[in-house]
Amino acid sequence: EEIKAFLAISDDKDNNPYVKGVTFESEYQRKYPFSRLASHVIGFTVSGNVGNWGIEEQYNEYLNGVDGREYGYVNSDNIMEKITKEATDGDTVISTIDFNIQTIIEKYIAQWKEQYHPDNMGVLVMNPKNGEVLAMAGDLNYDLNNPRQLEGIATQEQIDTIPVLGDNPTEEEKQAKTNAELAVYNAIWRNYCISDTFEPGSTFKPVTVAIALEQGLISGDMTFLCDGGEQYPRNYIKCHKTSGHGVITAAQGLAFSCNDAMMQIGRLEGIMMFSNYIRKFGFGTKTGIDLPGESSCDKLMYEPDTMTDTDLAISSFGQGSNVTMIQLASAFSSIINGGYYYEPHVVKQIVKSNGSIVKNVEAAPVKQTVTKATSDYIKTGLRGCVDYGTGKSAAVPGYLISGKTGTAQKGDRKDNKWIISFIGHAPAENPKFAIYVVIDEPYGTTGTSGSSADVLTLTHNILEKLLPYMNVYKDASDEYEDTSSSPDELTVDGIPAGTASSN
């Protein structure tokens, strides 16, 4: 519109014969019609269509074509010879992200954030049978069409870290401001689900049980006495139910989230076996997801030569070592799908402009983590968690859902700061999807620790929309009973809401 009037004058050679020598060049600019949707997965481009973050950066070489050129030279007869080099279109990258699932999780994340102001949170939905990421979101989304907009996205604390320059700033002051801005931008642009690390808490317990089953250290009907805790040379480590769960199986240990049973199982495994086996599940290494910025947690895992018996005890129920959401979701998917670990990915196909296929991302298992027998047994415990255990309030009436709650302390134990989570799947026996929900410091800086009741409520709300959309059918049994807890019964892995836990 801005050059339309000039072009009209320029094109009118009869009335404007002397308007010459001025041309305009067209430049492509990427537009994002859904603005903020899946911003951390998609990423954005800067000048020259250079991808930054997300799919834009990871698949930049495919997305960008080659510019065309027209140039020429004057030959010996003083005649202009023109040469045209045709442009080559970029390829189309088709993601695994489901628009509707992504919309659902972002809607409920936004509602939760507005009401409770958590420090951070993330939701991840995967297809456990092929590693496709169906939806992935953190607690904020930025405008892909204006990625440097801070208003309404960055916190005031973040904005205050950017220095205000005077009238004649020095080069050092300019650089300091640039660095401060970049730090704030990177905090906004980073993908919580693959970049941030934390202690997983009890969502790690299926891994502990899987190791023991695979190594023949326990059987499905073997029992453990939970009397409230285990004594170690320097510490007495409590179960969240200090009066004890009594005599229970490993499956019941998962359902009730029993720390005592996990510590006993961890002791059977020993430091070397436990440490080596969790690496097999992908902890301590990058999953290989096709997105930039993934953390490995390699420096945040215990090594066999530095691990103590106490470290092993707390690691058995998910404290002491760190994971990322994508690491735990990928390992969990392998446990519930029959034992096959798939590399997680967000792109399933690359297509040329003429429709021919450049690349298909095939769903090939990378390795086998457990046998089908182990997978089936653990799914029994996970089903019990939602049926009668610590995850009851995640249940959606009529549907068969399985999962595991998690409550983990973060930072200095004296600070009473918590990360609460739920990882689960549906249907219970033949899962169509796995879902992982994490809330970091559920009530922000208020000093209130929160409880698994919070994460279960959020999970329940998402599942109510997700289950029918994913064509998960209701249980045909008329005997199904809604086992959701009333508000005054909600717990932190068995402890009344607001009560601290070592879990």
Side-chain angles (χ1 to χ4, degrees):
E1 291 298 320
E2 292 178 5
I3 66 171
K4 189 175 181 179
F6 183 87
L7 289 176
I9 295 172
S10 176
D11 293 340
D12 187 356
K13 302 300 183 183
D14 294 335
N15 296 315
N16 305 294
Y18 301 109
V19 178
K20 297 179 180 179
V22 178
T23 60
F24 295 93
E25 292 184 355
S26 297
E27 183 179 271
Y28 286 99
Q29 184 176 5
R30 193 91 81 231
K31 293 292 185 181
Y32 303 92
F34 300 114
S35 184
R36 297 188 178 196
L37 190 78
S39 57
H40 292 97
V41 179
I42 296 171
F44 58 93
T45 58
V46 295
S47 179
N49 273 351
V50 177
N52 273 223
W53 296 88
I55 292 173
E56 288 282 19
E57 179 176 332
Q58 188 76 18
Y59 291 89
N60 188 74
E61 62 178 300
Y62 292 100
L63 290 162
N64 277 339
V66 179
D67 290 341
R69 289 185 61 198
E70 185 177 85
Y71 57 96
Y73 61 93
V74 178
N75 62 20
S76 58
D77 296 325
N78 205 30
I79 297 174
M80 174 66 74
E81 296 282 355
K82 288 187 177 181
I83 298 175
T84 302
K85 183 179 179 181
E86 297 296 335
T88 302
D89 290 339
D91 299 327
T92 295
V93 173
I94 301 172
S95 82
T96 62
I97 300 298
D98 185 295
F99 174 88
N100 292 305
I101 300 176
Q102 186 74 28
T103 301
I104 290 170
I105 69 171
E106 289 192 15
K107 170 188 173 182
Y108 284 104
I109 287 174
Q111 289 178 356
W112 200 266
K113 181 182 177 183
E114 183 178 0
Q115 185 171 359
Y116 298 110
H117 312 291
D119 187 62
N120 216 327
M121 58 191 300
V123 178
L124 177 61
V125 180
M126 289 181 65
N127 182 341
K129 297 178 181 178
N130 60 15
E132 289 186 356
V133 176
L134 305 177
M136 173 188 283
D139 74 334
L140 61 84
N141 286 319
Y142 59 93
D143 186 353
L144 293 172
N145 295 301
N146 188 12
R148 286 178 170 76
Q149 176 186 340
L150 296 179
E151 185 180 352
I153 301 176
T155 64
Q156 189 58 49
E157 184 180 0
Q158 288 175 314
I159 294 175
D160 290 342
T161 63
I162 302 174
V164 178
L165 300 181
D167 293 335
N168 297 299
T170 64
E171 290 302 316
E172 289 78 8
E173 289 173 332
K174 291 179 182 178
Q175 188 60 50
K177 180 176 182 179
T178 298
N179 293 340
E181 286 176 336
L182 187 59
V184 174
Y185 290 139
N186 284 337
I188 292 172
W189 297 335
R190 68 185 280 120
N191 186 332
Y192 178 80
C193 296
I194 69 170
S195 299
D196 285 45
T197 64
F198 53 89
E199 295 178 5
S202 295
T203 52
F204 192 84
K205 287 175 179 174
V207 175
T208 300
V209 175
I211 296 170
L213 288 169
E214 285 298 298
Q215 294 298 309
L217 301 174
I218 64 172
S219 61
D221 56 0
M222 182 176 176
T223 58
F224 305 87
L225 172 62
C226 171
D227 57 4
E230 291 290 310
Q231 183 64 56
Y232 288 85
R234 295 185 179 181
N235 306 87
Y236 178 74
I237 303 177
K238 299 177 182 179
C239 182
H240 67 80
K241 187 175 182 180
T242 55
S243 61
H245 288 102
V247 178
I248 58 175
T249 64
Q252 291 171 324
L254 292 174
F256 293 125
S257 200
C258 177
N259 291 351
D260 198 342
M262 296 303 127
M263 287 188 280
Q264 294 175 51
I265 294 172
R267 187 181 294 131
L268 291 173
E269 294 165 355
I271 290 173
M272 187 61 68
M273 180 185 293
F274 181 86
S275 298
N276 291 339
Y277 223 100
I278 62 175
R279 297 278 178 173
K280 182 178 179 180
F281 278 99
F283 299 108
T285 58
K286 293 183 179 181
T287 64
I289 189 171
D290 48 345
L291 288 173
E294 181 184 9
S295 297
S296 69
C297 301
D298 182 44
K299 304 300 182 184
L300 300 171
M301 301 291 293
Y302 284 118
E303 296 295 337
D305 56 347
T306 59
M307 197 177 201
T308 66
D309 289 339
T310 301
D311 296 332
L312 174 61
I314 63 173
S315 294
S316 71
F317 55 82
Q319 291 275 184
S321 294
N322 283 36
V323 303
T324 63
M325 286 188 70
I326 194 64
Q327 280 180 342
L328 188 60
S330 299
F332 181 82
S333 292
S334 77
I335 291 175
I336 64 171
N337 71 13
Y340 297 99
Y341 186 99
Y342 291 90
E343 187 173 84
H345 54 280
V346 296
V347 165
K348 58 184 175 184
Q349 193 176 64
I350 302 174
V351 182
K352 285 190 173 296
S353 59
N354 62 9
S356 61
I357 296 174
V358 177
K359 180 180 181 182
N360 276 323
V361 179
E362 302 295 341
V366 177
K367 55 190 170 183
Q368 185 170 7
T369 56
V370 298
T371 60
K372 186 177 184 301
T374 295
S375 175
D376 290 342
Y377 182 82
I378 290 178
K379 283 191 289 186
T380 301
L382 298 175
R383 176 68 185 139
C385 179
V386 180
D387 255 358
Y388 58 82
T390 59
K392 290 190 295 183
S393 52
V396 179
Y399 290 95
L400 296 177
I401 302 167
S402 298
K404 184 71 197 75
T405 52
T407 309
Q409 288 179 277
K410 59 176 287 191
D412 193 320
R413 302 300 188 233
K414 297 178 182 178
D415 292 341
N416 196 31
K417 293 182 178 181
W418 302 83
I419 292 178
I420 57 177
S421 58
F422 177 86
I423 191 164
H425 64 273
E429 293 303 318
N430 187 22
K432 286 189 174 182
F433 67 89
I435 181 170
Y436 189 19
V437 182
V438 176
I439 306 179
D440 184 353
E441 293 186 44
Y443 297 99
T445 58
T446 62
T448 305
S449 63
S451 75
S452 61
D454 299 305
V455 75
L456 292 174
T457 300
L458 176 57
T459 303
H460 170 88
N461 293 341
I462 293 173
L463 288 176
E464 278 192 316
K465 301 294 184 182
L466 184 56
L467 288 163
Y469 174 73
M470 292 290 291
N471 292 319
V472 176
Y473 297 108
K474 288 190 175 184
D475 180 17
S477 172
D478 294 329
E479 298 178 358
Y480 182 89
E481 180 182 356
D482 181 11
T483 56
S484 300
S485 300
S486 59
D488 59 341
E489 294 174 326
L490 298 177
T491 62
V492 183
D493 284 354
I495 295 181
T499 305
S501 167
S502 64
N503 184 16

